[in-house]
Amino acid sequence: MQPLKTMKQTTAAALAALTLGVIGPLAAAGELADAAVAKELGVSGVTHKTTTRTWHGKTYTDVAYKDGRGGDLFALRLGTADQYSLWKHAMGTVSTPVTGVGDEAFQVKNFRAICARSASSAVCVTPSFVNKNLTITDQQIQALVSAAL
């Protein structure tokens, strides 16, 4: 049996894997248009930057959205439907089901990410914690996830 500290580190690594996208192949889902994000969130000047990375042979795509002042809005994780089961398994008991988004969805309450899948893709939206000028609601997160699927 692992010591408690090692178990906590393992759990933290699993959470980091989800939030950093270190599990799962390249995305089949799509980026969200800046204008659509601006309309959904009620902000202007939205821009985004797409980064594709490979870590331990797994490729993933992250899209970082910012407001017109350069403040972080949210991160969009893009993956395939196969990736979704890995995300869900990594979250274990810290996630709760979400209805009305994709074929299946869950939310991780401690960092408010909502992940969902369709037949061919999986996405996660994680709102920024550092932009204190904007509060993104759970309903807006769900709308962004649905649009990305």
Side-chain angles (χ1 to χ4, degrees), residues 39-58:
K39 182 178 179 181
E40 178 63 41
L41 300 182
V43 298
S44 60
V46 173
T47 60
H48 71 275
K49 179 181 177 185
T50 302
T51 306
T52 301
R53 306 172 201 261
T54 302
W55 188 79
H56 289 287
K58 308 261 186 203

Side-chain angles (χ1 to χ4, degrees), residues 16-97:
L18 175 65
T19 58
L20 296 176
V22 297
I23 49 179
L26 182 61
E31 297 171 22
L32 299 171
D34 294 342
V37 170
K39 182 178 179 181
E40 178 63 41
L41 300 182
V43 298
S44 60
V46 173
T47 60
H48 71 275
K49 179 181 177 185
T50 302
T51 306
T52 301
R53 306 172 201 261
T54 302
W55 188 79
H56 289 287
K58 308 261 186 203
T59 303
Y60 61 95
T61 301
D62 281 332
V63 187
Y65 288 85
K66 295 183 177 287
D67 63 22
R69 292 181 269 162
D72 294 332
L73 295 172
F74 64 93
L76 172 65
R77 167 83 16 76
L78 305 171
T80 65
D82 294 338
Q83 185 178 21
Y84 179 83
S85 63
L86 295 172
W87 294 347
K88 191 169 183 180
H89 179 74
M91 290 298 88
T93 60
V94 298
S95 65
T96 56

Side-chain angles (χ1 to χ4, degrees), residues 18 77 79-92 95-108 113-125 141-142 144-149:
L18 175 65
R77 167 83 16 76
T80 65
D82 294 338
Q83 185 178 21
Y84 179 83
S85 63
L86 295 172
W87 294 347
K88 191 169 183 180
H89 179 74
M91 290 298 88
S95 65
T96 56
V98 175
T99 59
V101 183
D103 295 337
E104 182 181 359
F106 67 89
Q107 183 173 35
V108 181
I114 294 180
C115 301
R117 70 169 177 81
S118 67
S120 62
S121 63
V123 300
C124 281
V125 170
I141 298 170
Q142 288 178 16
L144 294 167
V145 168
S146 292
L149 285 174

Side-chain angles (χ1 to χ4, degrees), residues 125-139:
V125 170
T126 305
S128 172
F129 291 103
V130 296
N131 189 342
K132 303 301 180 193
N133 297 319
L134 177 70
T135 300
I136 300 176
T137 67
D138 287 350
Q139 291 76 21

